[in-house]
């Protein structure tokens, strides 16, 4: 009897002390691009080679479905161990208690590799991923939107191709001049006023640049200020001037991107991948494309902060292995190869300042990342951000652009909507 | 010799047993896939489950229902959905009836056409949505040019205009559902015996008269039942308005399907969504019952 | 005789015209699927270049082909099962009177009135607890609910329209009620059965939300899910999406083409007397 108990204890302690043996880590990956998938498979293979006994199972959950899948899994079970996540909904899932903190994983990695991973994270990302003093995500990609412009169209319109607009007011003026000088069907800028995400991705630079903030000190809607209204005025003004496509109030980002590739816009605020597409399509005017930083407002220059991290779900049974996988995939050589294959800027400051992100067009974006901020800057990320990002602010922009509401009414309704959501 | 077509009393217990047996698989499916989830939805509608506040549902009583009654956006969406539903069915009937009459012929073209006409219904919304968006695009859309010539559209696409957008998407919704009505009407038309028409022709009835006195009564049933069914399907439409306009511009095309989808997946309020579906079910059931009773009285 | 030929030709021409008009957006999708992306966004309706690269892309994605097979399997099963379950139910509701008949009929119809969003969560919970998550079986059974109510009511309507005298005549000659149903009524409502089966197939074919909730792994995915994977925000190609649409739309139409003769059949000579 005693011997049996002893044996059991010995066995038990062996199991506890042993490294993660025979564990499975399910990983939901959101990109359906074959290049990305191949790159992820390589990372997984490398990780499994270094960590015997851990089996990483990757499932492809397309970006467009991830919200539905995650919410369904939240309510019915079936969450993965690790997944990607939209950067601005990390707070949402953290607030529900669905995520597991990564501080231990960070510390373990630092101890083993002599690094300080937290210091290598972009300042804007800190706003999204460091909540209540803990780390809840490890960044993979970051992106921001910069101003692509056509030097040839600038010249044609009598504008100096080497001095692109630096402020939103200048942008509005330039867009107008470009539209007037350009042939029919070509517009000054591909600016969206629709309910699509593209609108908020561009407009947030305007309202942050004018010094507006989404949340007031007391946590309620902070948009009801002259700064926000000025930003709204200049942004919708561009559309009301006729400087963008007449259907801008119902077009999505893909359509605008396609339009720029077809030479229909003189300017557009877009991510680095657009340049990759330009190179792939080789339009005649490719060498006339230049990129400048996003326009500044009177208060500051703020870029859109996109990107996504890896997160660990609290429902996981394999937290240690999951944490190791997350750290492995977001640091080191393997991570760098992933970023190169995927064509995105890595969420690590030190990596992004090295090759190949020193080649055109990356430096402009990398530089701008220092000023890329979350929507609710300077407040901490809120759990309701996911809901608000969908169309709340876009509705205000669209209403003014369609001439349905004036600036004051739109702002008032916007704050009413936001406060309703916050009060739930 | 013939008894009327009205129902007769069952003849024997064996008959009764047979009747129940025949209908039981369908009832089993209905119970498993609809009644059980409905009971769950009913239970859920009384819970308080806003994922950001309570990871697990807790009892909420009538909280969701009182919120529902006060939710003006919801009721706007409801009335919009009623307009949408009636409009969709009207378009479906208007398109399908002439088409079915035309296809009810014995030529190779008619047969090929009746297979091809299935396409709008079979192709996924997501692809059709982009096809229609292209046609309505103010720059490259052929349809936009036509609408402009008719004075319906301005320089920007009709999808930009809140009133027109709803009308246009209703038309597209009807267009998409029309094939099924065509199919059902074809089946109904083909089961009308030729002898009836021949007899009427011999009696001197013209085309129109034959249509009104023979065709219409015999396909009336089909039109009503299929119309009801297509109406119910249309009531919960989500894909089409979502893809075409994301429910916009502003709220112009936000119908119930979108509201409920958002309630669950964006607003993270599954219990509220359950309450909405319970209320809508009651309303729909009431409407359907009324329609059926009216029919019975004819 | 000539008059009739002329009318036939005229009606045929009218049919073609109407079909082309009604199918214009679909024709656009088909044409779009063979145009290069750059050409797609120009003003012209006529392609300047033709390419099959989009189809090559689609068909090279193994997950798409697997999804195609799965959708065919599920759709076919759903169509078959729907007819097999709906037919007896419709017959029962039409030909017999018994207690609870109206209630049962209404119950079946009412199941149509629940949106997928509302039943999503409980169905997933049930399926997961049965251990059937991620199986085509679960999807097939769930899809039954999509078309069954309509199938029952539609068939009931057609059965109602077939006069009882025909069955009674057959039963006078010694066949059972069921026998009469199979031998007499069934052939008469064959077009409706085909229509109902088609309806169930198509509903299952295009169903997305339930598939999204129940299916996670690639080898069990259905076509709508596979199509969604084409919409990656960072590498989006209109042409490939259109090609995907064609791949989804074409097989269903093809299948229907094969069955169109069933739809054409109607009452043959010696039907109803007076």
């Amino acid at each position: 009897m005693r011997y049996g108990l002893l044996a059991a204890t010995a066995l038990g302690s062996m199991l506890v002390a042993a490294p993660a043996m025979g564990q499975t880590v399910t990983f939901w990956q959101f990109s359906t691009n074959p290049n990305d998938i191949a790159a992820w498979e390589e990372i997984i293979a490398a990780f499994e080679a270094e960590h015997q006994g851990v089996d990483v199972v990757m499932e492809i959950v397309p970006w467009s479905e991830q919200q539905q899948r995650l919410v369904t899994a939240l309510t019915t079970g079936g969450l993965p161990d690790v997944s990607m996540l939209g950067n601005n909904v990390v707070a949402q899932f953290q607030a529900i208690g669905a995520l597991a903190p990564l501080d231990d994983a960070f510390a373990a990695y630092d101890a083993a590799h002599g690094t300080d991973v937290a210091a290598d994270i972009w300042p804007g990302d800190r706003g999204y991923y460091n909540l209540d003093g803990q780390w809840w995500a490890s960044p993979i990609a970051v992106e921001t939107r910069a101003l692509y412009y056509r030097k040839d169209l600038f010249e044609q319109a009598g504008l100096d191709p080497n001095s692109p607009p630096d402020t939103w007011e200048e942008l509005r003026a330039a867009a107008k001049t470009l539209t007037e000088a350009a042939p029919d069907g070509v517009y000054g800028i591909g600016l969206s006023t629709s309910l699509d995400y593209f609108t908020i991705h561009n407009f947030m630079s305007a309202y942050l640049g004018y010094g507006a903030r989404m949340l007031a000190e007391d946590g309620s809607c902070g948009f009801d200020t002259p700064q926000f209204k000025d930003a709204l005025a200049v942004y919708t003004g561009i559309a009301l001037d006729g400087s963008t496509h007449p259907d801008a109030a119902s077009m999505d980002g893909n359509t605008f991107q396609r339009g720029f590739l077809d030479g229909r816009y003189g300017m557009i605020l877009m991510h680095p991948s657009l340049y990759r597409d330009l190179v792939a399509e080789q339009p005649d005017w490719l060498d006339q494309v230049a990129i400048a930083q996003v326009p500044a407002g009177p208060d500051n220059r703020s870029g859109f902060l996109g990107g996504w991290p890896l997160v660990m779900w609290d429902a996981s049974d394999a937290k240690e292995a999951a944490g190791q996988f997350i750290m492995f995939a977001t640091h080191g050589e393997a991570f760098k190869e992933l970023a190169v294959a995927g064509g995105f800027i890595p969420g690590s400051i030190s990596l992004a300042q090295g090759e190949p992100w020193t080649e055109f067009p990356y430096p402009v974006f990398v530089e701008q990342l220092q000023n890329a901020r979350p929507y609710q800057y300077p407040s901490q990320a809120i759990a309701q951000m996911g809901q608000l990002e969908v169309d709340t602010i876009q509705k205000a922009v669209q209403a003014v652009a369609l001439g349905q509401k004036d600036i004051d009414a739109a702002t008032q309704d916007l704050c009413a909507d936001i406060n309703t959501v916050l009060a739930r | 010799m013939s008894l009327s077509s009205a129902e007769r009393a069952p003849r024997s217990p064996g008959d009764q047993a047979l009747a129940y047996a025949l209908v039981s698989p369908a009832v089993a499916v209905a119970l498993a896939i609809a009644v059980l989830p409905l009971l769950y939805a009913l239970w859920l509608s009384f819970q308080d489950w806003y994922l950001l506040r309570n990871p697990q549902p807790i009892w909420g009583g009538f909280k969701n229902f009182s919120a529902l009654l006060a939710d003006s956006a919801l009721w706007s969406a409801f009335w919009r959905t009623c307009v949408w539903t009636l409009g969709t069915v009207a378009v479906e009937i208007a398109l399908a009836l002439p088409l079915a009459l035309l296809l009810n012929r014995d030529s190779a073209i008619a047969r090929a056409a009746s297979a091809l006409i299935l396409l709008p219904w079979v192709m996924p919304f997501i692809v059709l949505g982009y096809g229609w968006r292209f046609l309505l695009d103010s720059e490259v859309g052929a349809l936009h040019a036509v609408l402009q010539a008719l004075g319906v559209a301005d320089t920007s696409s009709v999808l930009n205009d809140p009133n027109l957008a709803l009308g246009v998407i209703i038309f597209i919704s009807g267009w998409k559902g029309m094939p099924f009505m065509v199919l059902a009407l074809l089946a109904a038309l083909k089961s009308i015996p030729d002898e009836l028409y021949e007899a009427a022709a011999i009696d001197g009835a013209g085309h129109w008269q034959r249509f009104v006195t023979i065709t219409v009564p015999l396909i009336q049933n089909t039109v009503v039942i299929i119309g009801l069914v297509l109406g119910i399907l249309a009531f919960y439409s989500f894909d089409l308005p979502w893809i075409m306009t994301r429910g916009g511009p502003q709220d112009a095309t936000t119908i119930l399907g979108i509201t409920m989808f958002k309630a669950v997946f964006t607003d993270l309020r599954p219990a509220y969504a359950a309450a909405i579906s319970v209320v809508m079910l009651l309303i729909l059931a009431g409407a359907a019952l009324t329609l059926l009773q009216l029919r019975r009285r004819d | 005789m000539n008059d009739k030929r002329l009318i036939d030709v005229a009606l045929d021409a009218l049919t073609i015209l109407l079909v082309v008009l009604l199918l214009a957006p679909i024709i656009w999708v088909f044409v779009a699927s063979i145009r290069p992306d750059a050409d797609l966004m120009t003003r012209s309706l006529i392609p300047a270049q033709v390419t099959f690269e989009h189809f090559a892309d689609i068909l090279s994605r193994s997950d798409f082909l697997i999804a195609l097979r799965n959708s065919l399997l599920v759709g076919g099963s759903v169509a078959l099962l729907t007819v097999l379950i709906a037919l007896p139910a419709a017959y029962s509701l039409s030909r017999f009177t018994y207690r609870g008949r109206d209630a049962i009929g209404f119950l079946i119809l009412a199941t149509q009135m629940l949106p997928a969003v509302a039943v999503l969560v409980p169905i997933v919970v049930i399926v997961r607890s049965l251990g059937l998550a991620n199986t085509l079986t679960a999807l097939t059974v769930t899809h039954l609910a999509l078309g069954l109510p309509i199938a029952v009511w539609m068939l009931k309507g057609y059965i109602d329209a077939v006069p009882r005298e025909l069955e009674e005549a057959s039963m006078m000659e010694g066949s059972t009620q069921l026998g009469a149903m199979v031998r007499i009524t069934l052939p008469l409502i064959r077009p409706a059965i085909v229509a109902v089966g088609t309806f169930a197939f198509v509903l299952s074919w295009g169903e997305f939300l339930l598939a999204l909730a129940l299916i996670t792994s690639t080898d069990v995915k259905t076509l709508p899910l596979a199509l969604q994977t084409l919409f990656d925000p960072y590498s989006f190609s209109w042409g490939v999406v259109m090609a995907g649409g064609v791949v989804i739309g074409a097989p269903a139409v093809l299948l229907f083409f094969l069955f169109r003769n069933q739809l054409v059949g109607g009452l043959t000579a010696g039907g109803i007397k007076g």
Side-chain angles (χ1 to χ4, degrees), chain B residues 103-157:
Chain B
L103 292 180
N104 185 25
R105 294 167 52 236
D106 209 5
S107 82
I109 301 266
R111 279 202 294 275
S114 43
L116 285 174
I117 205 67
L118 204 59
L119 274 169
W121 193 35
V122 164
M123 298 202 77
F125 272 122
I126 206 160
V127 167
L128 290 178
Y130 284 107
W132 276 100
R133 282 226 322 236
F134 187 81
L135 282 175
L136 290 168
D137 183 279
S138 64
E139 300 245 305
V140 300
L143 193 54
H144 176 85
V146 169
L147 288 173
Q148 230 177 345
L150 289 175
V152 171
D154 209 347
T155 45
S156 64
S157 166

Side-chain angles (χ1 to χ4, degrees), chain C residues 259-274:
Chain C
F259 284 110
R260 71 188 186 286
N261 286 324
Q262 310 304 317
L263 201 68
V264 166
L267 282 181
T268 52
I272 300 188
K273 304 170 178 55

Side-chain angles (χ1 to χ4, degrees), chain C residues 3-155:
Chain C
D3 263 352
K4 187 163 191 311
R5 281 290 302 279
L6 207 61
I7 294 182
D8 273 345
V9 169
L11 286 179
D12 271 348
L14 183 61
T15 307
I16 295 179
L17 178 66
L18 268 184
V19 167
V20 166
L21 270 181
L22 280 175
L23 294 185
I26 307 231
I27 295 176
W28 184 86
V29 169
F30 272 74
V31 170
S33 66
I34 52 172
R35 297 167 76 168
D37 274 333
D39 185 54
L40 204 54
M41 294 305 290
T42 59
R43 292 170 185 245
S44 66
L45 284 172
I46 321 248
Q49 289 167 292
V50 169
T51 172
F52 287 99
E53 65 189 3
H54 303 309
F55 282 101
D57 190 323
I58 289 266
L59 295 174
S60 73
R61 293 170 189 244
S62 59
D63 59 329
F64 225 83
L65 295 174
I66 294 176
L68 182 62
R69 184 204 69 189
N70 290 335
S71 278
L72 280 172
L73 252 148
V74 172
S77 312
V78 170
L80 196 61
L81 281 172
T82 303
V83 169
L84 285 177
I85 298 181
L87 203 50
Y91 192 74
S92 166
L93 289 175
S94 169
R95 292 299 193 228
F96 297 89
T97 2
Y98 46 92
R99 233 179 37 176
R101 186 195 63 173
D102 282 349
I104 290 181
F106 194 72
L107 168 69
I108 293 179
L109 183 65
T111 63
Q112 192 77 45
M113 301 187 208
L114 277 177
V117 173
V119 299
L120 195 67
V121 170
I123 285 191
V124 174
V125 169
I126 295 174
V127 166
R128 286 180 61 85
S129 55
L130 287 176
L132 286 175
N134 234 354
T135 59
L136 290 178
T137 318
L139 197 61
T140 308
V141 173
T142 316
H143 277 182
L144 274 181
L146 293 175
L148 197 61
I150 301 174
V152 170
W153 273 80
M154 218 178 123
L155 288 176

